Amino acid sequence: MYEKNIPYKIYLQEDELPKAWYNLRADMKNKPAPLLNPGTHQPMKAEELMPVFCEELVKQELDDTTPYIPIPEEVLNFYKMYRPAPLVRAYCLEEKLQTPAKIYYKFEGNNTSGSHKLNSAIAQAYYAKKQGLKGVTTETGAGQWGTALSMACSYFGLDCKVFMVKVSYEQKPFRREVMRTYGADVTPSPSNTTQVGRKILQEHPGTSGSLGCAISEAVEAATTREGYRYVLGSVLSQVVLHQSIIGLETKTAMDKYGIKPDIIIGCAGGGSNLGGLIAPFMGEKLRGEADYRFIAVEPASCPSLTRGKYVYDFCDTGMVCPLAKMYTLGSGFIPSANHAGGLRYHGMSSILSQLYDDKLMEATSVEQTEVFKAAEDFARVEGILPAPESSHAIYVAMQEALRCKETGEEKTILFGLTGTGYFDLTAYQRFNDGEMTDYVPADEDLKKGFAGIPQFPGNEFQF
Ligand SMILES: *Cc1c(COP(=O)(O)O)cnc(C)c1O
């Protein structure tokens, strides 16, 4: 029901935009476990990370005490081109569901790359430029990160080399073309342009690739080229830091109208949008100032939080990256090819992993056809064509709203609408033609992935 004092869309004024990112780790009593050197199993030192990552980003990665980190002026100016992102009151969805719940979503799809990834891409490109680098390398799965990074690199005049998971490269030629339009060089992964790619191709001929493979290739491409560094669009704590802009804007907008969410929901692939959305709210919870329910939603076909192990694991298939402690399915886990869209990564942000392990956050997994059904129901009333990833959150938000209908509770539900689905129309087509199926890995399938997780003193586990 329309509330006179709450508009459909809440926009902040330019001068109300956050000026600093919020580092949730500063308020965590149990800090996320440090990255380990895969050879020595000792915490990675800054010097060891610098050959791979940009200097300033290494500092941010290792900083778990500074609560606020100023956003550089150049990044703020870029943010102003597409931010603030609107906070929308889903009046039409509430009406359709006939729920007493109040539903809000933060929409991050209002930029050409079509997702929240640009928030971190522009920050990472800025620090690379400031360091005087020539360019950066990265991987992309569904393609949103590669697109965002291409835009950010062209803005700062940096070269951008993208390794795109082969299945997406073939299924999403238009994504690839957007990246090339912004000047990026796009290679399907695994490729024979790197040593690790050749090795993976030899061991798994005809593989459709995975994020883990593409990461290994991108890291190698950066470390074997003068003036290049590797950048990553999710999972890392620095990315969660940059994405805190989502939650900070949301919190400011809600405070302005006296709105307090009861439940905050987000989809979780590597955990960056969810980590960013919940950051200031979780901060309040950690400091004992307020309480919220947080729900991470992951696909049943790639269920790292709900069925994974909380141990140190490789971040990539080629095992060249540091070890991270996270909920993981094993770096060799490759989700079924019938899985549409993103959220395919085998692990989860170590910040979110720790929060989940401390029971400060819940997680649930959902199947693909119910997600697409929710996506279409949402599109038909709210107008936006959502990304499949975002639709995981939509589905659970709708479930919670329907529960309120049964109990008569007027809960306030907030979810992250991370992007648009224009490049996912092949998946929508399969759904519309009734050809989409659900795939839930059996315990046996998961065991194969777990078998690839390294066991060493302090990292023993059963599977
Ligand atoms: C990449 C992506 C995600 C998942 O990544 P997180 O790091 O978990 O946020 C979700 N939605 C969209 C639209 C994406 O592009």
Side-chain angles (χ1 to χ4, degrees):
M1 215 160 308
Y2 190 73
E3 287 182 73
K4 256 209 224 103
N5 55 335
I6 310 274
Y8 269 78
K9 281 187 184 164
I10 304 178
Y11 276 109
L12 296 176
Q13 300 299 314
E14 211 169 276
D15 60 2
E16 293 171 308
L17 286 180
K19 307 264 183 316
W21 292 300
Y22 167 58
N23 184 7
L24 179 57
R25 286 169 290 173
D27 282 309
M28 289 170 69
K29 277 187 207 77
N30 295 331
K31 306 287 184 198
L35 296 171
L36 295 188
N37 179 308
T40 63
H41 300 153
Q42 294 303 306
M44 289 293 278
K45 296 195 197 73
E47 316 80 273
E48 295 174 289
L49 291 165
M50 301 270 186
V52 181
F53 299 105
C54 303
E55 221 172 282
E56 196 60 34
L57 294 168
V58 169
K59 286 186 199 150
Q60 293 180 355
E61 192 62 31
L62 298 179
D63 184 345
D64 51 17
T65 51
T66 312
Y68 286 94
I69 296 180
I71 304 173
E73 177 96 35
E74 290 84 344
V75 176
L76 269 180
N77 287 342
F78 188 89
Y79 278 169
K80 284 177 194 165
M81 286 202 279
Y82 70 100
R83 307 199 70 83
L87 175 67
V88 184
R89 172 72 181 267
Y91 281 119
C92 303
L93 181 62
E94 289 171 19
E95 174 75 26
K96 157 99 180 166
L97 298 175
Q98 289 290 303
T99 174
K102 299 168 169 46
I103 309 174
Y104 293 85
Y105 57 91
K106 179 72 166 169
F107 180 47
E108 290 289 327
N110 258 347
N111 67 76
T112 300
S113 78
S115 83
H116 66 286
K117 299 235 172 40
L118 195 55
N119 301 333
S120 184
I122 195 65
Q124 299 197 40
Y126 167 76
Y127 291 119
K129 184 69 183 175
K130 197 172 142 225
Q131 193 178 329
L133 298 175
K134 284 187 211 142
V136 291
T137 69
T138 198
E139 76 296 326
T140 197
Q144 288 96 321
W145 167 246
T147 311
L149 190 68
S150 306
M151 290 175 70
C153 284
S154 68
Y155 183 74
F156 284 121
L158 284 166
D159 184 36
C160 179
K161 297 195 187 305
V162 181
F163 288 86
M164 186 169 188
V165 177
K166 193 179 276 166
V167 57
S168 309
Y169 184 91
E170 284 160 4
Q171 281 178 1
K172 298 183 166 186
F174 295 148
R175 264 274 175 228
R176 180 177 80 213
E177 240 32 70
V178 180
M179 287 185 254
R180 298 209 314 160
T181 299
Y182 283 93
D185 169 47
V186 189
T187 307
S189 167
S191 75
N192 53 22
T193 67
T194 64
Q195 234 174 9
V196 62
R198 288 190 289 273
K199 183 161 171 265
I200 292 167
L201 281 174
Q202 213 166 43
E203 285 166 13
H204 307 274
T207 173
S208 54
S210 72
L211 270 181
C213 298
I215 294 175
S216 304
E217 288 208 277
V219 170
E220 183 183 320
T223 51
T224 52
R225 270 187 187 77
E226 181 70 30
Y228 280 77
R229 291 294 184 278
Y230 165 68
V231 294
L232 180 59
S234 181
V235 188
L236 294 176
S237 299
Q238 58 185 271
V239 184
V240 175
L241 171 74
H242 305 148
Q243 295 298 356
S244 68
I245 187 90
I246 304 173
L248 291 165
E249 275 185 13
T250 304
K251 181 104 185 18
T252 307
M254 288 194 142
D255 286 349
K256 210 167 144 175
Y257 286 88
I259 305 159
K260 183 181 174 294
D262 297 296
I263 312 174
I264 305 178
I265 301 165
C267 61
S272 74
N273 87 80
L274 177 63
L277 174 68
I278 68 174
F281 301 98
M282 181 62 87
E284 287 191 331
K285 180 162 172 155
L286 290 165
R287 295 189 303 269
E289 296 164 10
D291 199 14
Y292 305 95
R293 248 186 94 195
F294 301 100
I295 309 175
V297 189
E298 56 184 16
S301 57
C302 193
S304 45
L305 284 171
T306 49
R307 294 176 69 195
K309 303 281 176 203
Y310 187 38
V311 290
Y312 272 102
D313 190 17
F314 295 103
C315 295
D316 61 321
T317 314
M319 308 178 184
V320 294
C321 291
L323 298 171
K325 187 167 177 190
M326 56 187 177
Y327 277 88
T328 179
L329 298 168
S331 62
F333 179 83
I334 297 186
S336 145
N338 97 337
H339 172 102
L343 310 180
R344 295 172 65 104
Y345 190 61
H346 67 273
M348 182 60 61
S349 140
S350 53
I351 297 178
L352 288 190
S353 292
Q354 186 62 47
L355 293 169
Y356 179 60
D357 202 56
D358 287 338
K359 309 218 163 11
L360 290 157
M361 181 183 85
E362 302 163 34
T364 181
S365 74
V366 296
E367 294 183 19
Q368 144 161 293
T369 48
E370 59 196 11
V371 165
F372 275 81
K373 171 79 172 62
E376 288 198 351
D377 288 346
F378 178 83
R380 288 174 193 184
V381 290
E382 288 289 321
I384 295 169
L385 176 69
E389 295 91 335
S390 323
S391 307
H392 289 69
I394 294 175
Y395 173 73
V396 172
M398 285 167 64
Q399 291 300 105
E400 288 296 333
L402 290 173
R403 196 159 301 143
C404 289
K405 184 173 168 177
E406 277 167 30
T407 61
E409 286 172 294
E410 286 183 31
K411 286 199 174 135
T412 298
I413 300 169
L414 163 66
F415 71 91
L417 188 65
T418 50
T420 47
Y422 302 114
F423 291 100
D424 301 284
L425 292 172
T426 316
Y428 274 97
Q429 182 182 16
R430 270 201 283 143
F431 177 74
N432 289 331
D433 288 342
E435 286 165 7
M436 182 171 275
T437 53
D438 291 319
Y439 170 76
V440 183
D443 288 345
E444 290 308 309
D445 300 322
L446 294 187
K447 273 186 184 167
K448 286 183 212 145
F450 295 146
I453 300 174
Q455 300 227 20
F456 53 88
N459 203 55
E460 295 95 349
F461 62 96
Q462 302 273 317
F463 64 91

